[in-house]
């Protein structure tokens, strides 16, 4: 029976307000597609909190465990529950949606993740650390915890509440690769921050997939060092530094020589105003730029940072802000 039939039978559809839990789950469908998207949101929160060190632990491709720890500003005890509420954010006041300088601003990530997993939020701001646990619809009262300055978000059994979503996930190996890629992109964007990524699937203390020390110096030097750490010294020696300004746009970073190419477009990192982006226009422009010097089946390696005035950019175009 379709909607029209129902109408003719006099069963008028009724407008209902969705429960908070249902609304969160729908938002989660947009923001949290797979474990790597949860990690992206959590690491962005840690960056927004001013962390200088961010440690990520995963197990089974992030399906059973995701843990993100930072030494940032922390969350006060009275704000712990609020942080897990929809549309609660400390980052904007709702007046100016154009001049946004933080990664987050919608207040959707934590409640979305909590609605599809078991989430524990532990944080210390000042002298005491507290934790709250979100299980299905219930949120525990804050309990004292042991934690250094900063925040740890632990997410267990992602999508346990939405098994349909689990079916769409790839193998643990592929999900772990996607997670590693998210860390690479954010680490390239934030060279002054130290990052580790550890996989504990096989038990024990696990295996480090990434260990990136915080780079010091000005942005130019620290960025160059971080690029070499992530894309290899090899790449840095086979690339040209870009530093051009045109019509209010600035482009910086490294572009690989045509002789240093890859068989797939897997090592192309773009950033717009410090935010990692995936954009057809940018990858198309890149292909065009290399067209005369590279065979069709080869792909350049680049890490390019575009800066433009904030009023020429709309971060609201995409739910995941990519
Ligand atoms: P948003 O990032 O869009 O504000 P989130 O749901 O990701 O929304 O987070 C909600 C709020 O919780 C943030 O605005 C921030 O105040 C707080 N928060 C989340 N993660 C952290 C963190 N790692 N350190 C400090 N505060 C955090
Ligand atoms: Mg956020």
């Amino acid at each position: 029976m379709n909607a029209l039939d129902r109408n003719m039978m006099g069963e008028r559809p009724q407008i209902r307000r969705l429960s908070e839990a249902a609304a969160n789950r729908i938002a989660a469908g947009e923001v949290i597609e797979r474990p790597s998207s949860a990690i992206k949101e959590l690491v962005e929160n840690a960056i927004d909190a001013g962390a200088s060190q961010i440690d990520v632990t995963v197990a089974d491709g992030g399906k059973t465990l995701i843990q993100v720890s930072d030494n940032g500003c922390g969350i006060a005890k009275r704000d712990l529950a609020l942080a897990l509420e929809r549309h609660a954010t400390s980052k904007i006041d709702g007046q100016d949606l154009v001049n946004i300088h933080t990664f987050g601003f919608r207040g959707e990530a934590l409640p979305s993740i909590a609605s599809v997993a078991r989430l524990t939020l532990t944080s210390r701001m000042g002298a005491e650390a507290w934790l709250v646990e979100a299980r299905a619809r219930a949120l525990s009262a804050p309990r004292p915890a042991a934690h250094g300055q900063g925040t740890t978000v632990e997410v267990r059994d992602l999508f346990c509440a939405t098994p349909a979503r689990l079916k769409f996930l790839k193998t643990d190996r592929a999900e772990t690769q996607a997670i590693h890629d998210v860390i690479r992109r954010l680490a390239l964007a934030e060279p002054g921050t130290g990052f580790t990524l550890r996989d504990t699937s096989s038990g024990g203390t696990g295996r480090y997939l990434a260990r990136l020390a915080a780079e010091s110096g000005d942005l130019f030097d620290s960025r160059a060092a971080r690029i070499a750490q992530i894309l290899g010294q090899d790449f840095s020696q086979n690339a040209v530094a870009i530093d051009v300004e045109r019509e209010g746009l600035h482009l910086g970073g490294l572009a690989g020589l045509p002789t240093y190419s890859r068989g797939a477009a897997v090592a192309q990192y773009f950033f717009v105003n410090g935010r990692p982006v995936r954009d057809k226009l940018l990858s198309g422009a890149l292909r065009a730029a290399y067209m005369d010097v590279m065979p069709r089946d080869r792909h350049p390696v680049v890490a390019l940072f575009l800066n433009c005035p904030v009023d020429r950019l709309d971060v609201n175009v995409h739910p995941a802000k990519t």
Side-chain angles (χ1 to χ4, degrees), residues 197-227:
L197 172 60
R198 201 159 47 111
D199 183 349
T200 57
S201 307
S202 46
T205 52
R207 187 169 60 96
Y208 280 98
L209 302 179
R211 279 175 121 148
L212 303 162
E215 297 294 343
S216 53
D218 63 19
L219 185 59
F220 188 85
D221 289 340
S222 60
R223 188 182 273 168
R226 182 53 63 84
I227 291 174

Side-chain angles (χ1 to χ4, degrees), residues 73 124-129 149:
C73 64
R124 174 163 167 178
M125 177 189 253
E128 303 164 346
Q149 171 64 40

Side-chain angles (χ1 to χ4, degrees), residues 6 23 27 32 65 79 89 125-126 142 150 155 166 193 233 236-237 256 267 283 287 304 308 310:
R6 248 194 320 266
I32 313 298
L65 173 72
D79 287 343
T89 178
M125 177 189 253
V155 179
L166 267 180
T193 303
Q233 207 69 51
S236 299
Q237 283 157 7
S283 39
R287 206 173 314 119
L304 292 173
C308 70
V310 279

Side-chain angles (χ1 to χ4, degrees), residues 84-230:
L84 289 163
E85 229 168 77
R86 202 160 141 76
H87 299 152
T89 178
S90 58
K91 297 169 193 175
I92 57 168
D93 58 8
Q95 301 298 312
D96 186 353
L97 292 180
V98 173
N99 284 296
I100 292 170
H101 299 280
T102 51
F103 278 106
F105 56 86
R106 290 202 186 89
E108 289 200 327
L110 288 183
S112 297
I113 298 169
S115 75
V116 293
R118 298 191 287 133
L119 184 147
T120 306
L121 175 60
T122 310
S123 196
R124 174 163 167 178
M125 177 189 253
E128 303 164 346
W130 296 87
L131 73 77
V132 290
E133 286 174 325
R135 301 283 180 270
R137 276 167 200 79
L139 185 67
S140 74
R143 285 206 306 271
H147 198 281
Q149 171 64 40
T151 303
T152 295
V153 181
E154 187 185 275
V155 179
R156 288 196 180 267
D157 303 326
L158 187 65
F159 303 130
C160 59
T162 48
R165 178 67 68 166
L166 267 180
K167 289 204 198 99
F168 285 100
L169 297 185
K170 304 201 175 118
T171 60
D172 290 0
R173 198 182 134 81
E175 294 298 338
T176 304
Q177 266 168 11
I179 290 166
H180 198 169
D181 196 54
V182 160
I183 299 294
R184 269 192 213 104
R185 284 173 199 275
L186 287 167
L188 283 168
E190 301 289 330
T193 303
F195 289 85
T196 63
L197 172 60
R198 201 159 47 111
D199 183 349
T200 57
S201 307
S202 46
T205 52
R207 187 169 60 96
Y208 280 98
L209 302 179
R211 279 175 121 148
L212 303 162
E215 297 294 343
S216 53
D218 63 19
L219 185 59
F220 188 85
D221 289 340
S222 60
R223 188 182 273 168
R226 182 53 63 84
I227 291 174
Q229 269 190 319
I230 291 179

